Amino acid sequence: MTSDDHPRCNRQKTVLVTGATGYVGSRLVPQILPHYQVRCLVRDPARLDDSIRDQVEVFQGDVMHSHSLHKCMQGVDVAFYLIHGMGYGADFQKKDRIAAENFVAAAQQAGVSRIIYLGGLGDDADPELSPHLKSRHEVGQIFLASDVPTIELRASVVLGPGSLSYELIRSLTQRLPMMICPKWLSTPTQPIATQDVLAYLQESIELPLEKSEVFEIGSQDVVTYGGLIQMYAQERNLKRVLISVPLLTPYLSSLWLGLVTPTSAEVGRHLIEGLRNPTVVRDDKARQIFSHQPMTTQEAIRQAVQQEA
Ligand SMILES: NC(=O)c1ccc[n+]([C@@H]2O[C@H](COP(=O)([O-])OP(=O)(O)OC[C@H]3O[C@@H](n4cnc5c(N)ncnc54)[C@H](OP(=O)(O)O)[C@@H]3O)[C@@H](O)[C@H]2O)c1
């Protein structure tokens, strides 16, 4: 079967990918390229992988500037929103909101028939939900409240080399034989392999949809962040001792992380603040509706470590 004969293939469809220079977007583009006309919205075309640049339509734009979105939305059937504002500075929540409003307004005006957004897990009712996760959910609400049918996929840590949250875990585990960690070590989470996220994103393009939907996605099992660090250490044949110190505040944690990881202190702080919130799949609708079934966390870590090599 050629890619054009594939039952999920619709080369007539034009798919817009934002965040195409980012971790998820840069991996999604080559995966959907054989099946769809792909268009990328980027702030700086020079940052696109050379292998991608020649095979897609490239539009330069910035979701913070609404005027730069209208042209690239013309003729688009499905638009992926794979952008976050963790690097925007202190008022990132406001900027994330403006960006989402600009994006949805342009999509609505152009008659886009579906938005697919990858956001974050976490319980909306949690009074201690971190600003980053709250902002991720708020972006989803903006899309869901619009007239454009939307699929919001909510995920925890995406496991794969290059993913910000994975890099945090990797550098912590590799650099420190003994870790003094705040109480987030025992927070439950349900991370997901990059390959599984990409499969869910791709399937979302053709998924029959009667109304906008939120799908929570994760690997087959729930682990703690401490457990995740130990799983990574085991795959790398490292012996690690974790000592929990409840008094280490997220702010101090982020400064400390800035010293031991390549993540900037600002991005590190947003990620660290989110570690106190359980990020597990509470609604398993995705497992019933999508044909794709995810792997276990152990398999996902193993695959990520192999990819590092
Ligand atoms: N990685 C994870 O573990 C994880 C987990 C759960 C959910 N997610 C979600 O997945 C999505 C993608 O995350 P990621 O890990 O791929 O992030 P990433 O690697 O940091 O990439 C972010 C992308 O957003 C683009 N961007 C930022 N501000 C922009 C703006 N104003 N206009 C246009 N583009 C802009 C960046 O472009 P530049 O190259 O120009 O900076 C980059 O391509 C996000 O919604 C995130 O919340 C990720």
Side-chain angles (χ1 to χ4, degrees):
M1 194 189 312
T2 68
S3 62
D4 284 338
D5 300 328
H6 193 281
R8 295 266 176 197
C9 172
N10 187 341
R11 269 197 164 278
Q12 302 308 312
K13 265 190 188 164
T14 297
V15 176
L16 174 71
V17 180
T18 63
T21 54
Y23 178 73
V24 177
S26 66
R27 285 158 180 79
L28 179 67
V29 170
Q31 180 161 316
I32 62 173
L33 253 177
H35 313 301
Y36 300 99
Q37 304 289 342
V38 179
R39 191 177 282 186
C40 297
L41 174 84
V42 288
R43 291 193 285 194
D44 178 3
R47 284 174 52 82
L48 262 181
D49 276 3
D50 290 344
S51 56
I52 290 179
R53 200 179 305 112
D54 299 339
Q55 299 185 64
V56 299
E57 283 180 275
V58 181
F59 283 74
Q60 192 161 10
D62 185 323
V63 285
M64 292 305 297
H65 307 306
S66 59
H67 62 86
S68 68
L69 302 179
H70 296 291
K71 211 166 147 201
C72 81
M73 285 284 187
Q74 297 308 314
V76 167
D77 299 288
V78 174
F80 280 97
Y81 194 81
L82 302 173
I83 290 175
H84 62 78
M86 276 195 290
Y88 291 162
D91 56 350
F92 77 95
Q93 286 167 285
K94 184 177 165 204
K95 289 185 175 156
D96 257 343
R97 190 182 314 133
I98 293 169
E101 285 168 354
N102 288 342
F103 186 78
V104 81
Q108 209 157 317
Q109 205 176 38
V112 169
S113 56
R114 180 171 299 191
I115 289 175
I116 302 169
Y117 162 58
L118 179 61
L121 277 170
D123 185 354
D124 288 311
D126 181 350
E128 290 191 11
L129 201 63
S130 75
H132 167 59
L133 288 176
K134 261 192 208 151
S135 175
R136 294 290 76 201
H137 290 190
E138 187 184 8
V139 166
Q141 285 307 324
I142 291 167
F143 296 153
L144 293 165
S146 77
D147 292 338
V148 186
T150 295
I151 292 180
E152 177 182 356
L153 297 175
R154 291 184 171 188
S156 175
V157 176
V158 176
L159 293 170
S163 164
L164 282 176
S165 38
Y166 176 80
E167 290 302 329
L168 198 76
I169 286 160
R170 168 158 87 134
S171 35
L172 277 175
T173 318
Q174 279 184 340
R175 291 183 195 195
L176 302 174
M178 191 183 84
M179 273 182 249
I180 296 172
C181 307
K183 58 184 173 188
W184 51 252
L185 272 182
S186 55
T187 308
T189 184
Q190 203 162 348
I192 185 164
T194 305
Q195 190 185 312
D196 288 329
V197 170
L198 296 178
Y200 280 121
L201 286 169
Q202 180 168 356
E203 200 175 332
S204 296
I205 300 174
E206 304 291 345
L207 196 77
L209 197 64
E210 284 175 11
K211 59 176 177 53
S212 294
E213 292 273 9
V214 177
F215 294 104
E216 298 188 331
I217 56 173
S219 60
Q220 285 177 25
D221 45 333
V222 176
V223 295
T224 62
Y225 283 108
L228 197 56
I229 286 172
Q230 291 294 16
M231 271 185 188
Y232 179 84
Q234 195 187 341
E235 284 302 321
R236 299 293 305 241
N237 291 320
L238 301 167
K239 190 154 174 41
R240 294 296 178 249
V241 179
L242 308 178
I243 300 168
S244 191
V245 179
L247 291 178
L248 205 55
T249 65
Y251 179 68
L252 286 176
S253 271
S254 70
L255 293 182
W256 170 68
L257 278 170
L259 294 175
V260 295
T261 74
T263 312
S264 79
E266 189 199 348
V267 171
R269 191 171 73 248
H270 294 311
L271 292 175
I272 279 284
E273 282 171 349
L275 300 184
R276 67 175 182 241
N277 305 124
T279 45
V280 297
V281 173
R282 291 166 306 134
D283 174 352
D284 71 348
K285 203 168 39 180
R287 298 286 287 276
Q288 294 152 25
I289 289 181
F290 283 78
S291 65
H292 181 76
Q293 296 301 315
M295 60 185 85
T296 63
T297 304
Q298 186 81 54
E299 284 166 341
I301 294 255
R302 187 160 300 150
Q303 207 170 75
V305 168
Q306 281 164 2
Q307 284 163 11
E308 278 178 30

